């Protein structure tokens, strides 16, 4: 029933970390004992999920943008939908690339089909400073929120 509302809705029923497969409807809860600090950054536009999937097969990587998995002791950060979305919404590619160059950021990735991008922070104490720089660099129309992964 949750999948009928939207492909990403089943994940939210579990209230735990999970491996997500398919269109988001196949959810496998996993033990994840880490509480990782994240800064969510949402521009004032969305990305239609059906559009992202439709354009995935024919999409190309943008030179200079990092698409490979970012490896961490607890697992990789990777999102195959970045390729088609970044082709159309270059702002998101620029934001991710910029975040990866910031000293407070351990990793950065687009969430789902976008348009939210998140920064995995080295410390939650750096969120305010980083957030101010994000707004100074990319404009005041962004929504930002500090949160953490379920776990810990």
């Amino acid at each position: 029933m949750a999948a009928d509302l939207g492909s990403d809705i089943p994940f939210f029923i579990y209230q735990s970390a999970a491996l997500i497969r398919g269109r988001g409807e196949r959810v496998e809860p996993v033990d994840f004992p880490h509480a990782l600090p994240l800064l969510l950054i949402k521009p004032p536009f969305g990305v239609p999920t059906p559009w992202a999937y439709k354009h995935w097969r024919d999409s190309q990587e943008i030179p200079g943008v990092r698409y490979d998995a970012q490896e961490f002791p607890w697992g990789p950060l990777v999102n195959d939908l970045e390729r088609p979305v970044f082709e159309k919404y270059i702002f998101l590619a620029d934001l991710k690339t910029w975040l990866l160059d910031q000293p407070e950021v351990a990793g950065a990735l687009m969430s789902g089909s976008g348009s939210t991008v998140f920064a995995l922070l080295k410390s939650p104490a750096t969120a305010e400073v980083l957030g101010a720089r994000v707004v100074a660099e990319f404009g005041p129309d962004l929504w930002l929120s500090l949160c953490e992964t379920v776990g810990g």
Side-chain angles (χ1 to χ4, degrees), residues 3-148:
D4 290 340
L5 296 174
S7 293
D8 56 349
I9 301 300
F11 166 75
F12 294 101
I13 292 173
Y14 289 92
Q15 298 181 0
S16 73
L19 293 174
I20 309 298
R21 293 189 173 84
R23 295 176 297 111
E25 78 283 5
R26 295 190 340 234
V27 180
E28 180 186 336
V30 296
D31 182 36
F32 190 77
H34 312 283
L36 305 174
L38 304 173
L39 181 64
L40 305 180
I41 305 160
K42 166 81 171 74
F45 60 86
V47 176
T49 300
W51 179 93
Y53 278 95
K54 180 180 177 186
H55 291 88
W56 176 80
R57 184 179 308 276
D58 297 324
S59 62
Q60 302 291 316
E61 291 185 356
I62 299 168
V65 175
R66 185 173 174 188
Y67 296 93
D68 61 313
Q70 300 164 58
E71 297 294 338
F72 294 91
W74 39 262
L77 286 180
V78 65
N79 183 344
D80 292 336
L81 285 177
E82 286 183 341
R83 202 176 63 225
V85 172
F86 286 1
E87 269 190 322
K88 182 172 181 175
Y89 301 93
I90 193 72
F91 174 87
L92 300 176
D94 291 343
L95 176 59
K96 176 187 174 185
T97 299
W98 183 87
L99 286 168
L100 287 170
D101 287 337
Q102 303 311 299
E104 302 88 352
V105 176
L109 200 66
M110 182 178 75
S111 178
S113 62
S115 64
T116 299
V117 173
F118 66 88
L120 172 60
L121 303 175
K122 293 176 182 175
S123 166
T126 63
E128 191 172 323
V129 171
L130 177 62
R133 272 204 325 278
V134 168
V135 169
E137 184 74 20
F138 293 96
D141 293 334
L142 300 170
W143 174 85
L144 286 82
S145 182
L146 175 63
C147 60
E148 66 180 27

